[in-house]
Amino acid sequence: MTLDAPAKKTRARKAAEPAPEPVADADFAPLPDKDIAAEAPVEAQPEPVAEAPAAIDGPAVVAALQAFAKVKGPLAVKALLTKFNASRLSDIKPDQYAAVMAEVA
């Protein structure tokens, strides 16, 4: 008899034994069916309201353009005004203020 013979007998015995029945674990037990509609509705969380951007006024635009002129020079300001079809600061329309501020930022 060789050493492999007892191992084969053990495997054969294990194969012949019935498999143990699974034990129901309380943590994994199926949940009882229930009517979800009968539960109280979950209160809806209010949507976060985005704050409106601060209104941009003429003096803020003038100050930003002055700072832009100090850094870039008067030719850059002239090119910027031309981009907005303006020949001077007062020609810039209020609805263009945000776009001007974005350019000089």
Side-chain angles (χ1 to χ4, degrees):
M1 185 177 223
T2 64
L3 292 177
D4 292 332
K8 287 182 183 177
K9 287 182 182 177
T10 306
R11 286 187 197 140
R13 275 189 239 143
K14 285 184 181 178
E17 293 177 6
E21 291 188 28
V23 178
D25 189 0
D27 292 337
F28 298 105
L31 296 174
D33 292 333
K34 60 181 179 179
D35 187 11
I36 295 175
E39 293 181 6
V42 176
E43 292 182 24
Q45 297 292 329
E47 292 291 324
V49 178
E51 293 182 20
I56 301 171
D57 57 354
V61 175
V62 171
L65 283 170
Q66 288 172 344
F68 180 75
K70 286 180 183 176
V71 174
K72 300 288 184 172
L75 292 176
V77 173
K78 173 95 172 129
L80 183 66
L81 291 174
T82 303
K83 182 176 181 178
F84 290 99
N85 297 325
S87 59
R88 56 185 175 206
L89 293 177
S90 61
D91 291 342
I92 297 176
K93 297 177 180 66
D95 60 336
Q96 295 174 326
Y97 286 170
V100 172
M101 294 295 278
E103 289 284 333
V104 299

Coordinates of all heavy atoms in Angstrom, one line a residue:
M1 N 0.8 -1.2 0.0 CA 0.0 0.0 0.0 C 0.9 1.2 0.0 O 1.9 1.3 0.7 CB -0.9 0.0 1.2 CG -1.9 1.0 1.3 SD -2.9 0.8 2.7 CE -4.4 1.1 2.0
T2 N 0.5 2.2 -0.8 CA 1.3 3.5 -0.9 C 0.7 4.5 -0.1 O -0.4 4.4 0.4 CB 1.4 3.9 -2.4 OG1 0.1 4.2 -2.8 CG2 2.0 2.8 -3.2
L3 N 1.4 5.7 0.0 CA 0.8 6.8 0.8 C -0.4 7.4 0.1 O -1.2 8.0 0.8 CB 1.9 7.8 1.0 CG 3.1 7.4 1.9 CD1 4.1 8.5 1.9 CD2 2.6 7.1 3.3
D4 N -0.5 7.3 -1.2 CA -1.6 7.9 -1.9 C -2.9 7.1 -1.6 O -4.0 7.7 -1.8 CB -1.3 7.9 -3.4 CG -0.2 8.8 -3.7 OD1 0.0 9.8 -3.0 OD2 0.5 8.6 -4.7
A5 N -2.9 5.9 -1.3 CA -4.1 5.1 -1.1 C -5.0 5.6 0.0 O -6.2 5.7 -0.2 CB -3.7 3.6 -0.8
P6 N -4.5 6.0 1.2 CA -5.4 6.5 2.2 C -6.1 7.8 1.8 O -7.2 8.1 2.1 CB -4.5 6.7 3.4 CG -3.4 5.8 3.3 CD -3.2 5.7 1.8
A7 N -5.3 8.6 1.0 CA -5.9 9.9 0.6 C -7.1 9.6 -0.4 O -8.1 10.3 -0.3 CB -4.8 10.7 -0.1
K8 N -6.9 8.7 -1.2 CA -8.0 8.3 -2.2 C -9.2 7.8 -1.5 O -10.3 8.1 -1.8 CB -7.5 7.3 -3.2 CG -6.5 7.9 -4.2 CD -6.1 6.8 -5.2 CE -5.1 7.4 -6.1 NZ -4.6 6.4 -7.1
K9 N -9.0 7.0 -0.4 CA -10.1 6.5 0.3 C -10.9 7.7 1.0 O -12.1 7.7 1.1 CB -9.7 5.5 1.4 CG -9.3 4.2 0.8 CD -8.9 3.2 1.8 CE -8.5 1.9 1.3 NZ -8.0 1.0 2.3
T10 N -10.1 8.6 1.6 CA -10.7 9.7 2.2 C -11.6 10.6 1.3 O -12.7 11.0 1.6 CB -9.7 10.6 2.9 OG1 -8.9 9.8 3.7 CG2 -10.3 11.7 3.7
R11 N -11.0 10.8 0.1 CA -11.8 11.6 -0.9 C -13.0 10.8 -1.3 O -14.1 11.4 -1.5 CB -10.9 11.9 -2.1 CG -9.8 12.9 -1.9 CD -9.1 13.3 -3.1 NE -7.9 13.9 -2.8 CZ -6.7 13.8 -3.4 NH1 -6.6 12.9 -4.4 NH2 -5.7 14.5 -3.0
A12 N -12.9 9.5 -1.5 CA -14.0 8.7 -1.9 C -15.1 8.7 -0.8 O -16.3 8.8 -1.1 CB -13.6 7.3 -2.1
R13 N -14.7 8.7 0.5 CA -15.7 8.8 1.6 C -16.4 10.1 1.6 O -17.6 10.2 1.8 CB -15.0 8.5 2.9 CG -14.9 7.0 3.2 CD -14.4 6.8 4.6 NE -13.2 6.1 4.5 CZ -12.1 6.2 5.2 NH1 -12.1 7.1 6.2 NH2 -11.1 5.5 5.0
K14 N -15.6 11.2 1.4 CA -16.2 12.5 1.4 C -17.2 12.7 0.2 O -18.2 13.3 0.4 CB -15.1 13.6 1.3 CG -14.3 13.8 2.6 CD -13.3 14.9 2.4 CE -12.6 15.1 3.7 NZ -11.6 16.2 3.6
A15 N -16.9 12.1 -0.9 CA -17.8 12.2 -2.0 C -19.1 11.5 -1.8 O -20.1 11.8 -2.3 CB -17.1 11.7 -3.3
A16 N -19.0 10.4 -1.0 CA -20.2 9.6 -0.8 C -21.1 10.2 0.3 O -22.3 9.9 0.3 CB -19.7 8.2 -0.3
E17 N -20.5 11.0 1.2 CA -21.3 11.6 2.2 C -22.2 12.7 1.6 O -21.9 13.4 0.7 CB -20.4 12.3 3.3 CG -19.6 11.3 4.0 CD -18.7 12.1 5.0 OE1 -18.7 13.3 5.1 OE2 -17.8 11.4 5.6
P18 N -23.4 12.8 2.1 CA -24.3 13.9 1.6 C -23.8 15.2 2.0 O -23.2 15.4 3.1 CB -25.7 13.6 2.3 CG -25.3 12.8 3.5 CD -24.1 12.0 3.2
A19 N -24.0 16.2 1.2 CA -23.6 17.6 1.5 C -24.4 18.1 2.6 O -25.6 17.9 2.7 CB -23.7 18.4 0.2
P20 N -23.8 18.9 3.5 CA -24.6 19.5 4.6 C -25.6 20.5 4.0 O -25.3 21.2 3.1 CB -23.5 20.1 5.5 CG -22.4 20.3 4.6 CD -22.4 19.3 3.6
E21 N -26.7 20.5 4.7 CA -27.8 21.5 4.2 C -27.4 22.9 4.7 O -26.8 23.1 5.8 CB -29.1 21.1 4.8 CG -29.7 19.8 4.2 CD -31.1 19.6 4.6 OE1 -31.8 20.6 4.9 OE2 -31.5 18.4 4.7
P22 N -27.6 23.9 3.8 CA -27.2 25.2 4.2 C -28.1 25.7 5.4 O -29.3 25.4 5.5 CB -27.5 26.1 3.0 CG -28.4 25.2 2.1 CD -28.2 23.8 2.5
V23 N -27.5 26.4 6.3 CA -28.2 26.9 7.5 C -28.6 28.3 7.2 O -27.8 29.1 6.7 CB -27.2 26.9 8.7 CG1 -27.9 27.4 9.9 CG2 -26.8 25.4 9.0
A24 N -29.8 28.7 7.4 CA -30.3 30.0 7.2 C -29.7 30.9 8.2 O -29.8 30.7 9.4 CB -31.8 30.0 7.2
D25 N -29.1 32.0 7.8 CA -28.5 33.0 8.6 C -29.5 34.1 8.8 O -30.1 34.6 7.8 CB -27.2 33.5 8.0 CG -26.4 34.4 9.0 OD1 -26.9 34.6 10.1 OD2 -25.3 34.8 8.6
A26 N -29.7 34.5 10.0 CA -30.7 35.6 10.3 C -30.3 36.9 9.6 O -31.2 37.7 9.2 CB -30.8 35.8 11.8
D27 N -29.0 37.1 9.4 CA -28.6 38.3 8.8 C -28.9 38.3 7.3 O -29.1 39.4 6.7 CB -27.1 38.5 8.9 CG -26.7 38.8 10.4 OD1 -27.6 39.3 11.1 OD2 -25.5 38.6 10.7
F28 N -29.1 37.2 6.7 CA -29.3 37.1 5.3 C -30.7 36.5 4.9 O -30.9 36.0 3.8 CB -28.2 36.3 4.6 CG -26.8 36.9 4.7 CD1 -25.9 36.4 5.6 CD2 -26.5 38.0 4.0 CE1 -24.7 36.9 5.8 CE2 -25.3 38.6 4.2 CZ -24.3 38.1 5.0
A29 N -31.5 36.5 5.9 CA -32.9 35.9 5.7 C -33.6 36.8 4.7 O -33.5 38.0 4.7 CB -33.6 35.8 7.0
P30 N -34.5 36.3 3.9 CA -35.2 37.1 3.0 C -36.2 38.0 3.7 O -36.8 37.6 4.8 CB -36.0 36.2 2.1 CG -36.0 34.8 2.8 CD -34.8 34.9 3.7
L31 N -36.4 39.2 3.3 CA -37.3 40.2 3.9 C -38.7 39.8 3.6 O -39.0 39.4 2.4 CB -36.9 41.6 3.5 CG -35.5 42.1 3.8 CD1 -35.3 43.5 3.2 CD2 -35.4 42.2 5.3
P32 N -39.6 40.1 4.5 CA -41.0 39.8 4.1 C -41.5 40.8 3.1 O -41.1 42.0 3.1 CB -41.7 40.0 5.5 CG -40.8 40.8 6.3 CD -39.4 40.5 5.8
D33 N -42.4 40.4 2.3 CA -43.0 41.3 1.3 C -43.8 42.3 2.0 O -44.6 42.0 2.9 CB -43.8 40.5 0.3 CG -43.0 39.6 -0.6 OD1 -41.8 40.0 -0.8 OD2 -43.5 38.6 -1.1
K34 N -43.7 43.5 1.6 CA -44.6 44.6 2.2 C -44.9 45.6 1.2 O -44.2 45.7 0.2 CB -43.9 45.2 3.4 CG -42.6 45.9 3.1 CD -42.0 46.5 4.4 CE -40.7 47.2 4.1 NZ -40.1 47.7 5.2
D35 N -46.0 46.3 1.4 CA -46.4 47.3 0.5 C -45.7 48.6 0.7 O -45.9 49.2 1.7 CB -47.9 47.5 0.6 CG -48.5 48.4 -0.4 OD1 -47.8 48.7 -1.4 OD2 -49.7 48.8 -0.3
I36 N -44.8 48.9 -0.2 CA -44.0 50.1 -0.1 C -44.9 51.4 -0.2 O -44.6 52.3 0.5 CB -42.9 50.1 -1.2 CG1 -41.9 49.0 -1.0 CG2 -42.2 51.5 -1.2 CD1 -40.9 48.8 -2.0
A37 N -45.9 51.3 -0.9 CA -46.8 52.5 -1.1 C -47.5 52.8 0.2 O -47.9 53.9 0.5 CB -47.8 52.2 -2.2
A38 N -47.7 51.8 1.1 CA -48.4 52.0 2.3 C -47.5 52.8 3.3 O -48.0 53.3 4.3 CB -48.8 50.7 3.0
E39 N -46.2 52.8 3.1 CA -45.3 53.5 4.0 C -45.5 55.0 3.9 O -46.0 55.5 2.8 CB -43.9 53.1 3.8 CG -43.6 51.7 4.1 CD -42.1 51.4 3.8 OE1 -41.3 52.3 3.5 OE2 -41.8 50.2 4.0
A40 N -45.1 55.7 4.9 CA -45.2 57.2 4.8 C -44.2 57.7 3.8 O -43.1 57.2 3.6 CB -44.9 57.8 6.2
P41 N -44.6 58.7 3.0 CA -43.7 59.2 1.9 C -42.5 59.9 2.6 O -42.6 60.5 3.6 CB -44.6 60.2 1.2 CG -45.6 60.6 2.1 CD -45.9 59.4 3.0
V42 N -41.4 59.8 1.9 CA -40.2 60.4 2.4 C -40.3 61.9 2.0 O -40.6 62.2 0.9 CB -38.9 59.8 1.7 CG1 -37.7 60.5 2.1 CG2 -38.9 58.3 2.1
E43 N -40.0 62.7 2.9 CA -40.0 64.2 2.6 C -38.9 64.5 1.7 O -37.8 64.1 1.8 CB -39.9 65.0 3.9 CG -41.0 64.8 4.9 CD -40.8 65.7 6.1 OE1 -40.1 66.7 6.1 OE2 -41.4 65.3 7.2
A44 N -39.3 65.3 0.7 CA -38.4 65.7 -0.3 C -37.5 66.8 0.2 O -37.9 67.7 0.9 CB -39.1 66.3 -1.6
Q45 N -36.2 66.7 -0.1 CA -35.2 67.7 0.4 C -35.3 68.8 -0.6 O -35.3 68.6 -1.8 CB -33.8 67.1 0.4 CG -33.6 65.9 1.3 CD -33.7 66.4 2.8 OE1 -33.3 67.5 3.1 NE2 -34.2 65.5 3.6
P46 N -35.3 70.0 -0.1 CA -35.3 71.2 -1.0 C -34.0 71.3 -1.8 O -32.9 70.9 -1.3 CB -35.4 72.4 0.0 CG -34.9 71.9 1.3 CD -35.2 70.4 1.3
E47 N -34.2 71.6 -3.1 CA -33.0 71.7 -4.0 C -32.2 72.9 -3.5 O -32.8 74.0 -3.2 CB -33.5 71.9 -5.4 CG -34.2 70.7 -6.0 CD -33.2 69.6 -6.2 OE1 -32.1 69.9 -6.6 OE2 -33.6 68.4 -6.1
P48 N -30.9 72.8 -3.5 CA -30.1 74.0 -3.2 C -30.2 75.0 -4.3 O -30.2 74.7 -5.5 CB -28.6 73.4 -3.2 CG -28.7 72.1 -3.9 CD -30.1 71.6 -3.8
V49 N -30.5 76.2 -3.8 CA -30.7 77.3 -4.7 C -29.3 78.0 -5.0 O -28.6 78.4 -4.1 CB -31.7 78.4 -4.1 CG1 -31.9 79.5 -5.1 CG2 -33.0 77.7 -3.8
A50 N -29.0 78.1 -6.3 CA -27.7 78.7 -6.7 C -27.9 80.2 -6.5 O -28.9 80.8 -6.8 CB -27.4 78.4 -8.1
E51 N -26.9 80.8 -5.9 CA -27.0 82.3 -5.6 C -26.8 83.0 -7.0 O -25.9 82.6 -7.8 CB -25.9 82.7 -4.6 CG -26.2 82.2 -3.2 CD -25.2 82.6 -2.2 OE1 -24.5 83.7 -2.5 OE2 -25.0 82.0 -1.2
A52 N -27.6 84.0 -7.2 CA -27.4 84.8 -8.4 C -26.1 85.6 -8.3 O -25.7 86.0 -7.2 CB -28.5 85.8 -8.5
P53 N -25.4 85.7 -9.4 CA -24.1 86.4 -9.4 C -24.4 87.9 -9.0 O -25.4 88.4 -9.3 CB -23.6 86.3 -10.8 CG -24.7 85.9 -11.6 CD -25.7 85.2 -10.7
A54 N -23.4 88.4 -8.4 CA -23.5 89.8 -8.0 C -23.7 90.7 -9.2 O -23.1 90.4 -10.3 CB -22.3 90.3 -7.2
A55 N -24.5 91.7 -9.1 CA -24.7 92.6 -10.3 C -23.5 93.3 -10.6 O -22.8 93.8 -9.7 CB -25.9 93.5 -10.0
I56 N -23.1 93.4 -11.8 CA -21.9 94.1 -12.2 C -22.4 95.5 -12.7 O -23.2 95.6 -13.5 CB -21.2 93.4 -13.4 CG1 -20.8 92.0 -13.0 CG2 -20.0 94.1 -13.9 CD1 -20.4 91.1 -14.1
D57 N -21.7 96.5 -12.1 CA -22.1 97.9 -12.4 C -21.0 98.5 -13.2 O -19.9 98.0 -13.3 CB -22.5 98.7 -11.2 CG -21.3 98.7 -10.1 OD1 -20.3 98.0 -10.3 OD2 -21.5 99.4 -9.1
G58 N -21.3 99.7 -13.7 CA -20.4 100.4 -14.6 C -19.0 100.7 -13.9 O -18.0 100.5 -14.4
P59 N -19.1 101.3 -12.6 CA -17.8 101.6 -11.9 C -16.9 100.3 -11.8 O -15.7 100.5 -11.8 CB -18.2 102.1 -10.6 CG -19.6 102.7 -10.8 CD -20.2 101.8 -11.9
A60 N -17.5 99.2 -11.5 CA -16.7 98.0 -11.4 C -16.0 97.6 -12.7 O -14.8 97.2 -12.8 CB -17.5 96.8 -10.9
V61 N -16.7 97.8 -13.8 CA -16.1 97.5 -15.1 C -15.0 98.5 -15.4 O -13.9 98.2 -15.9 CB -17.2 97.6 -16.2 CG1 -16.6 97.5 -17.6 CG2 -18.3 96.5 -16.0
V62 N -15.2 99.8 -15.1 CA -14.2 100.8 -15.3 C -13.0 100.5 -14.5 O -11.8 100.6 -15.0 CB -14.8 102.2 -15.0 CG1 -13.6 103.3 -15.0 CG2 -15.9 102.6 -16.0
A63 N -13.1 100.1 -13.3 CA -12.0 99.8 -12.4 C -11.2 98.6 -13.0 O -10.0 98.5 -13.0 CB -12.5 99.5 -11.0
A64 N -12.0 97.6 -13.4 CA -11.4 96.4 -14.0 C -10.6 96.7 -15.3 O -9.5 96.2 -15.5 CB -12.4 95.3 -14.3
L65 N -11.2 97.6 -16.1 CA -10.5 98.0 -17.3 C -9.3 98.8 -17.0 O -8.2 98.7 -17.7 CB -11.4 98.8 -18.3 CG -12.4 97.9 -19.0 CD1 -13.5 98.8 -19.7 CD2 -11.7 97.0 -20.1
Q66 N -9.3 99.6 -16.0 CA -8.1 100.4 -15.6 C -7.0 99.5 -15.1 O -5.8 99.7 -15.5 CB -8.5 101.4 -14.5 CG -9.3 102.6 -15.1 CD -9.8 103.5 -14.0 OE1 -9.8 103.1 -12.8 NE2 -10.3 104.7 -14.4
A67 N -7.3 98.5 -14.4 CA -6.3 97.5 -13.9 C -5.8 96.7 -15.1 O -4.6 96.5 -15.2 CB -6.9 96.6 -12.9
F68 N -6.7 96.4 -16.0 CA -6.3 95.7 -17.2 C -5.3 96.5 -18.1 O -4.3 96.0 -18.6 CB -7.5 95.3 -18.0 CG -7.3 94.6 -19.3 CD1 -6.9 93.2 -19.3 CD2 -7.4 95.2 -20.5 CE1 -6.7 92.5 -20.5 CE2 -7.2 94.5 -21.7 CZ -6.8 93.2 -21.7
A69 N -5.6 97.8 -18.2 CA -4.8 98.7 -18.9 C -3.4 98.9 -18.3 O -2.4 99.0 -19.0 CB -5.4 100.1 -19.0
K70 N -3.3 98.9 -17.0 CA -2.0 99.0 -16.3 C -1.1 97.7 -16.6 O 0.1 97.9 -16.8 CB -2.2 99.1 -14.8 CG -2.7 100.5 -14.4 CD -2.8 100.5 -12.9 CE -3.4 101.9 -12.4 NZ -3.6 101.9 -11.0
V71 N -1.8 96.6 -16.7 CA -1.0 95.4 -16.9 C -0.7 95.2 -18.4 O 0.4 94.9 -18.8 CB -1.8 94.1 -16.4 CG1 -1.1 92.8 -16.8 CG2 -1.9 94.2 -14.9
K72 N -1.7 95.3 -19.3 CA -1.6 95.0 -20.7 C -1.3 96.2 -21.6 O -0.8 96.0 -22.7 CB -2.9 94.3 -21.2 CG -3.3 93.1 -20.5 CD -2.4 91.9 -20.9 CE -2.9 90.6 -20.3 NZ -2.2 89.5 -20.7
G73 N -1.6 97.4 -21.2 CA -1.3 98.5 -22.0 C -2.6 99.0 -22.7 O -3.6 98.3 -22.8
P74 N -2.5 100.3 -23.2 CA -3.7 100.9 -23.8 C -4.1 100.2 -25.1 O -5.2 100.3 -25.5 CB -3.2 102.4 -24.0 CG -1.7 102.4 -23.9 CD -1.4 101.2 -23.0
L75 N -3.1 99.6 -25.8 CA -3.5 99.0 -27.1 C -4.4 97.8 -26.8 O -5.3 97.5 -27.6 CB -2.2 98.6 -27.9 CG -1.4 99.7 -28.4 CD1 -0.1 99.2 -29.1 CD2 -2.2 100.6 -29.4
A76 N -4.1 97.1 -25.8 CA -5.0 95.9 -25.4 C -6.4 96.4 -25.1 O -7.3 95.7 -25.4 CB -4.3 95.1 -24.3
V77 N -6.5 97.5 -24.4 CA -7.8 98.0 -24.0 C -8.5 98.5 -25.3 O -9.7 98.2 -25.4 CB -7.7 99.2 -23.0 CG1 -9.0 99.9 -22.8 CG2 -7.1 98.8 -21.7
K78 N -7.8 99.1 -26.2 CA -8.4 99.5 -27.5 C -8.9 98.3 -28.2 O -10.1 98.3 -28.8 CB -7.4 100.3 -28.3 CG -7.8 100.6 -29.7 CD -8.4 102.0 -29.8 CE -8.6 102.4 -31.2 NZ -9.9 102.9 -31.4
A79 N -8.1 97.2 -28.3 CA -8.6 96.0 -29.0 C -9.8 95.4 -28.3 O -10.7 94.9 -28.9 CB -7.4 95.0 -29.0
L80 N -9.8 95.4 -27.0 CA -10.9 94.9 -26.2 C -12.2 95.7 -26.5 O -13.3 95.1 -26.7 CB -10.6 94.9 -24.7 CG -11.7 94.3 -23.8 CD1 -11.8 92.8 -24.1 CD2 -11.3 94.5 -22.4
L81 N -12.1 97.0 -26.5 CA -13.2 97.9 -26.8 C -13.7 97.6 -28.2 O -14.9 97.6 -28.5 CB -12.9 99.3 -26.6 CG -12.6 99.8 -25.2 CD1 -12.1 101.2 -25.1 CD2 -13.9 99.6 -24.3
T82 N -12.8 97.5 -29.2 CA -13.2 97.2 -30.5 C -13.9 95.9 -30.6 O -14.9 95.7 -31.4 CB -11.9 97.2 -31.4 OG1 -11.3 98.4 -31.3 CG2 -12.3 96.9 -32.9
K83 N -13.5 94.9 -29.8 CA -14.2 93.6 -29.8 C -15.7 93.7 -29.4 O -16.5 93.0 -29.9 CB -13.5 92.6 -28.8 CG -14.0 91.3 -28.8 CD -13.2 90.4 -27.9 CE -13.8 89.0 -27.8 NZ -12.9 88.1 -27.0
F84 N -16.0 94.7 -28.6 CA -17.3 94.9 -28.1 C -18.0 96.1 -28.9 O -19.0 96.7 -28.4 CB -17.4 95.2 -26.6 CG -17.1 93.9 -25.8 CD1 -15.8 93.7 -25.3 CD2 -18.0 93.0 -25.6 CE1 -15.5 92.5 -24.6 CE2 -17.8 91.8 -24.9 CZ -16.5 91.6 -24.4
N85 N -17.5 96.4 -30.0 CA -18.0 97.5 -30.9 C -18.1 98.8 -30.1 O -19.2 99.5 -30.2 CB -19.3 97.1 -31.5 CG -19.2 95.9 -32.4 OD1 -18.2 95.8 -33.1 ND2 -20.2 95.1 -32.4
A86 N -17.1 99.1 -29.3 CA -17.2 100.4 -28.6 C -15.9 101.2 -28.9 O -14.8 100.6 -29.1 CB -17.2 100.1 -27.1
S87 N -16.0 102.5 -29.0 CA -14.8 103.3 -29.2 C -14.3 103.9 -27.9 O -13.2 104.4 -27.8 CB -15.1 104.4 -30.2 OG -16.2 105.2 -29.7
R88 N -15.2 103.9 -26.8 CA -14.8 104.4 -25.5 C -15.6 103.6 -24.4 O -16.5 102.8 -24.8 CB -15.1 105.9 -25.4 CG -16.5 106.2 -25.7 CD -16.7 107.7 -25.7 NE -18.1 107.9 -26.1 CZ -18.5 108.9 -26.7 NH1 -17.7 109.9 -26.9 NH2 -19.8 109.0 -27.0
L89 N -15.2 103.7 -23.2 CA -15.8 103.0 -22.1 C -17.3 103.2 -22.0 O -18.1 102.2 -21.7 CB -15.1 103.3 -20.8 CG -13.7 102.9 -20.6 CD1 -13.2 103.4 -19.3 CD2 -13.5 101.4 -20.7
S90 N -17.7 104.4 -22.2 CA -19.2 104.7 -22.1 C -20.0 104.0 -23.2 O -21.2 103.9 -23.1 CB -19.4 106.2 -22.1 OG -19.0 106.7 -23.3
D91 N -19.4 103.5 -24.3 CA -20.1 102.9 -25.3 C -20.4 101.4 -25.0 O -21.2 100.7 -25.7 CB -19.3 102.9 -26.6 CG -19.3 104.3 -27.2 OD1 -20.1 105.2 -26.8 OD2 -18.4 104.6 -28.1
I92 N -19.8 100.9 -23.9 CA -20.1 99.5 -23.6 C -21.5 99.4 -22.9 O -21.8 100.1 -22.0 CB -19.0 98.9 -22.6 CG1 -17.6 98.9 -23.3 CG2 -19.3 97.5 -22.1 CD1 -16.5 98.5 -22.4
K93 N -22.3 98.5 -23.4 CA -23.6 98.3 -22.9 C -23.6 97.5 -21.6 O -22.8 96.6 -21.5 CB -24.5 97.6 -24.0 CG -24.6 98.4 -25.3 CD -25.4 97.7 -26.3 CE -25.5 98.4 -27.6 NZ -24.3 98.7 -28.3
P94 N -24.6 97.8 -20.7 CA -24.7 97.1 -19.5 C -24.8 95.5 -19.6 O -24.3 94.8 -18.8 CB -25.9 97.7 -18.8 CG -26.0 99.0 -19.3 CD -25.5 98.9 -20.8
D95 N -25.5 95.1 -20.7 CA -25.6 93.7 -20.9 C -24.3 93.0 -21.3 O -24.2 91.8 -21.4 CB -26.7 93.3 -21.9 CG -26.5 93.9 -23.3 OD1 -25.8 94.9 -23.4 OD2 -27.1 93.4 -24.2
Q96 N -23.3 93.8 -21.7 CA -22.0 93.3 -22.0 C -21.0 93.3 -20.9 O -19.9 92.9 -21.0 CB -21.4 94.1 -23.2 CG -22.2 94.0 -24.5 CD -21.7 94.9 -25.6 OE1 -21.2 96.0 -25.3 NE2 -21.8 94.5 -26.8
Y97 N -21.4 93.9 -19.7 CA -20.5 94.0 -18.6 C -19.9 92.7 -18.2 O -18.7 92.6 -17.9 CB -21.2 94.7 -17.4 CG -21.4 96.2 -17.6 CD1 -22.2 96.8 -16.6 CD2 -20.9 96.9 -18.6 CE1 -22.5 98.2 -16.8 CE2 -21.1 98.3 -18.7 CZ -21.9 98.9 -17.8 OH -22.2 100.2 -17.9
A98 N -20.7 91.7 -18.1 CA -20.2 90.4 -17.6 C -19.2 89.8 -18.6 O -18.1 89.3 -18.2 CB -21.3 89.4 -17.5
A99 N -19.4 90.0 -19.9 CA -18.4 89.5 -20.9 C -17.1 90.3 -20.9 O -16.0 89.7 -21.0 CB -19.0 89.6 -22.3
V100 N -17.2 91.6 -20.6 CA -16.0 92.4 -20.5 C -15.2 92.0 -19.3 O -14.0 91.9 -19.3 CB -16.4 93.9 -20.4 CG1 -15.2 94.8 -20.1 CG2 -17.0 94.4 -21.8
M101 N -15.9 91.8 -18.2 CA -15.2 91.4 -16.9 C -14.6 90.0 -17.1 O -13.5 89.8 -16.6 CB -16.2 91.3 -15.8 CG -16.8 92.7 -15.4 SD -15.6 93.8 -14.7 CE -15.5 93.2 -13.0
A102 N -15.2 89.1 -17.9 CA -14.6 87.8 -18.1 C -13.3 88.0 -19.0 O -12.3 87.2 -18.8 CB -15.6 86.9 -18.8
E103 N -13.3 88.9 -19.9 CA -12.1 89.2 -20.7 C -11.0 89.8 -19.9 O -9.8 89.4 -20.2 CB -12.5 90.1 -21.9 CG -13.4 89.5 -22.9 CD -12.6 88.6 -23.9 OE1 -11.4 88.7 -24.1 OE2 -13.3 87.7 -24.4
V104 N -11.2 90.6 -19.0 CA -10.2 91.3 -18.3 C -9.7 90.5 -17.1 O -8.7 90.9 -16.5 CB -10.5 92.8 -17.9 CG1 -10.9 93.6 -19.1 CG2 -11.7 92.8 -16.9
A105 N -10.4 89.5 -16.7 CA -10.0 88.7 -15.5 C -8.8 87.8 -15.8 O -8.5 87.5 -16.9 CB -11.2 87.9 -15.1

